[in-house]
Amino acid sequence: MRITVLGAGSWGTTVAAVLTRRDHESLIWARDPVVADEINAKHTNERYLQGFTLPERLRATADLSEAAGHAELLVVGVPTGAFRGTLERVRADLHPWIPVVSLSKGLERDSLLRMSEVIKDVLPGHPAAALTGPNLAKEIMAGMAAATVIATEDLTVATEIQRVFRRGLLRVYTNHDVIGCEVGGALKNVVAIATGIAQGLGVGDNTRAGVISRGLAELTTLAVAMGGEPTTLAGLAGMGDLVATCISPHSRNRYVGEQLGRGRSLDDILAEMGQVAEGVKTVHAAVQLADQHELAMPITRTIHRVITGDITAERAYEGLLRSHPAGHESEPG
């Protein structure tokens, strides 16, 4: 199959490499021509996957029209802030009816849409799916075992995409609950910032475990309010992705939180990283969704106050511990 991956960041490049090794004719689009040239000439992407060699058969291009026209399956791994604009640019060159798979974990800030909803909005008639789960790019590139989820309402389409992605130690599951899968993938980034702050403040493993557990309760509550299924959030797209993102030193969102906990400014952290930490943007949409559904979501709201500069990271943890009495564990908050 001819597959195009839009976005040559760490995860997009990793997915393109996996698909190429699965004997698909893969083409990756890089916004920066220098990155495309490096992938073609040196079979590396040192900015995002330093130390890893890419398959020689993987081709790259900086021409978005060429990338779109090549695709029998389109995989979109650009940041959520560029997701809609990129789809609008490929629309004219895309073959009709081909499936479109989102790799991006977040929510569109103004519309509050999930990425599969953005696909349906911009590319009506194309089956929309999301690939999500605990998928740290460098571990998959290193050949470590991992599990992922293809989420789409049409399980026939999901099964076909599952067949395309399945390779070696990468175990691919299907799920019809797109809402639950995408909300889990988006909100875990916010909880990872909170967990990172705990790490930066040195408040202890008990505190971090508490934040992860109560964070899972929050994202489950929001997913269910939006129409998702609670069992989804107990699986790979919820708890699995949450644990990986909250504990891994490779997690960008956890890193942002850790640096905030050490007293650094958000602007300095993001400028140094040179990469997108989706939780920083997602938290704004998450608070609006919490308001719409009249949900407390104290962790999400507290991290929003930190990101907007309303309170410091240290104050945030004092507030989480003292803000209100705890109720029954089955209840959010």
Side-chain angles (χ1 to χ4, degrees), residues 175-191:
N175 197 321
H176 64 278
D177 180 16
V178 184
I179 295 173
C181 286
E182 287 193 298
V183 172
L187 268 293
K188 57 90 182 179
N189 287 323
V190 177
V191 181

Side-chain angles (χ1 to χ4, degrees), residues 11 14 18 21 52 134-148 165-172 244 247-250:
W11 186 220
T14 297
V18 168
R21 294 185 178 117
F52 290 99
N135 304 143
L136 297 164
K138 291 183 178 179
E139 292 188 2
I140 292 176
M141 284 296 295
M144 298 179 185
T148 192
F165 276 84
R166 184 176 57 233
R167 183 185 184 277
L169 294 178
L170 180 61
R171 191 168 181 83
V172 184
I247 69 173
S248 172
H250 300 306

Side-chain angles (χ1 to χ4, degrees), residues 218-236:
E218 282 195 17
L219 60 89
T220 301
T221 300
L222 179 59
V224 171
M226 294 173 64
E229 301 172 11
T231 53
T232 300
L233 284 304
L236 291 168

Side-chain angles (χ1 to χ4, degrees), residues 96-109:
W97 314 118
I98 69 168
V100 181
V101 179
S102 166
L103 303 180
S104 305
K105 297 175 179 179
L107 301 166
E108 193 170 47
R109 182 164 178 174

Side-chain angles (χ1 to χ4, degrees), residues 19-31:
L19 292 169
T20 303
R21 294 185 178 117
R22 185 75 172 76
D23 294 329
H24 296 293
E25 188 181 334
S26 302
L27 177 66
I28 187 168
W29 172 75
R31 181 176 54 84

